[in-house]
Amino acid sequence: MAAVNQETTSVVLNQPNNSGLHIAIHPLTLLNISDHYTRTVIQQASSGPIHVIGALLGIQTGREVEIFNSYELQFTLQPNGAIRIHEEYFLTKQEQFRQVFPVYDFLGWYTIGHKPTVADIDVLQQLMVYNESPLFLQLDPNEIPTPARSLPITVYESIVDIVDNQPQPMFIKAAYKVETGEAERIAVDHVAHAATHQEGESSLIAHLSGQQNAIKMLDTRIKLLHEYLQDSIQGRVPKDHDLERQISSLCNRLPTISGQAFEEEFMTEYNDVLLTSYLATITKGTHIMSEVTSRRHLMQT
């Protein structure tokens, strides 16, 4: 176990990253990696370690890097644990992507694991032929992110450090952010809603369930604020004037529901909804009566 730990820690520099590189990852890349890993787990019959490798594509402008897409890489696992990337497949896929996305360049690769190892350094040396300093994105499916909203991924920059007077490729952690465009937000939201629908469940039920959960969450947070204000008045907790100003500002932004204009507008919309419901019921009843009349005429003839 000690040898494995030494192998892992010796390839990552434990120092601040001052490169100034700004990395933005788009959701499609994360979905591709997650899908790649899930399919590999399902398709793998044995209980051995999972090996997943793919290329990262995007645009780099100066110190700004945006990762837009990814694709899977074919490789061979050597008996000694080393990984050999299939160069011909890699070049073919690069050419195919360049025909569709001419501005996308090869920026790095991704894999699955907890920490980088010497095997990842070997992959780095193979891919440095196509990018002098490729990025390395590692997904840890067994990690429980803290805080809960963070992602179980780590991005590393590749650098060359002097070890025993010899140049040695190394990794250093890099900060990243998840960036989405309007089209991506719509697509991800659609995927998230589609994934929550159970078999035989209508879209109306899913919509109402979402509304119910949102109302429950709002009610819980309002009760929490109310309890805080009560405890603050009674002296059980110290007063935080900045927080109280934020609560007051939030309350002032809420629409009033006691005015004459609100009641008139509410009753108008309420009557419109009832009228629409009545019209739908009358139309359905008329249609049923028409079918019954037609069947009766058919039986008489």
Side-chain angles (χ1 to χ4, degrees):
M1 180 64 68
V4 174
N5 292 337
Q6 177 66 25
E7 177 184 280
T8 300
T9 57
S10 62
V11 300
V12 180
L13 289 179
N14 188 18
Q15 64 185 36
N17 188 339
N18 301 317
S19 66
L21 199 65
H22 300 282
I23 303 172
I25 306 174
H26 286 255
L28 178 59
T29 304
L30 302 178
L31 291 175
N32 287 344
I33 297 173
S34 176
D35 175 70
H36 187 187
Y37 169 74
T38 303
R39 284 187 288 103
T40 303
V41 171
I42 294 175
Q43 295 171 2
Q44 181 168 314
S46 62
S47 59
I50 305 296
H51 296 281
V52 170
I53 298 179
L56 302 174
L57 300 177
I59 301 174
Q60 179 169 0
T61 306
R63 308 304 296 170
E64 303 288 335
V65 177
E66 283 193 87
I67 302 174
F68 288 96
N69 207 338
S70 65
Y71 63 86
E72 303 170 18
L73 288 176
Q74 293 183 356
F75 61 92
T76 301
L77 187 62
Q78 304 291 333
N80 59 356
I83 295 175
R84 294 301 172 195
I85 304 296
H86 292 182
E87 183 178 2
E88 183 178 353
Y89 177 84
F90 171 76
L91 295 175
T92 301
K93 291 291 291 186
Q94 277 294 106
E95 183 60 29
Q96 292 173 348
F97 265 90
R98 192 171 295 277
Q99 291 176 5
V100 182
F101 305 103
V103 297
Y104 286 5
D105 295 320
F106 170 71
L107 298 179
W109 83 104
Y110 67 83
T111 187
I112 302 299
H114 181 60
K115 294 290 184 181
T117 63
V118 175
D120 298 313
I121 291 292
D122 185 45
V123 175
L124 167 63
Q125 292 175 331
Q126 297 176 55
L127 297 177
M128 287 177 69
V129 178
Y130 312 103
N131 187 315
E132 294 181 355
S133 182
L135 298 174
F136 176 39
L137 188 152
Q138 193 167 46
L139 169 68
D140 186 357
N142 299 318
E143 178 186 353
I144 301 177
T146 304
R149 291 192 175 186
S150 62
L151 298 172
I153 63 175
T154 308
V155 179
Y156 299 90
E157 293 182 47
S158 56
I159 62 174
V160 177
D161 194 30
I162 303 300
V163 180
D164 297 331
N165 296 323
Q166 297 292 331
Q168 176 67 38
M170 304 281 284
F171 295 116
I172 184 170
K173 283 188 177 181
Y176 71 90
K177 64 179 180 179
V178 178
E179 190 168 291
T180 60
E182 186 63 28
E184 291 174 315
R185 279 194 290 269
I186 294 173
V188 172
D189 183 69
H190 175 74
V191 171
H193 281 77
T196 58
H197 290 181
Q198 299 179 0
E199 185 177 356
E201 185 181 82
S202 67
S203 58
L204 176 61
I205 295 177
H207 174 72
L208 294 177
S209 299
Q211 295 290 334
Q212 182 186 26
N213 293 333
I215 293 173
K216 286 183 178 179
M217 183 178 296
L218 176 63
D219 181 64
T220 301
R221 295 182 178 183
I222 291 176
K223 287 181 179 178
L224 180 62
L225 292 177
H226 183 263
E227 291 176 2
Y228 166 76
L229 292 175
Q230 290 290 339
D231 293 342
S232 177
I233 293 173
Q234 297 175 8
R236 288 196 289 264
V237 296
K239 291 187 176 181
D240 187 336
H241 297 289
D242 182 57
L243 180 58
E244 291 179 357
R245 283 194 295 270
Q246 293 183 31
I247 296 174
S248 176
S249 175
L250 179 63
C251 293
N252 292 334
R253 287 203 300 264
L254 295 175
T256 177
I257 60 175
S258 59
Q260 182 66 25
F262 172 80
E263 292 181 0
E264 292 179 356
E265 184 178 356
F266 175 78
M267 291 305 299
T268 300
E269 292 188 5
Y270 179 71
N271 291 331
D272 290 343
V273 171
L274 288 179
L275 180 59
T276 303
S277 177
Y278 292 155
L279 288 175
T281 303
I282 293 172
T283 303
K284 184 177 181 180
T286 305
H287 178 68
I288 294 174
M289 291 179 60
S290 177
E291 287 186 347
V292 172
T293 304
S294 299
R295 291 177 181 176
R296 181 178 180 181
H297 288 307
L298 183 63
M299 292 176 63
Q300 290 178 349
T301 57

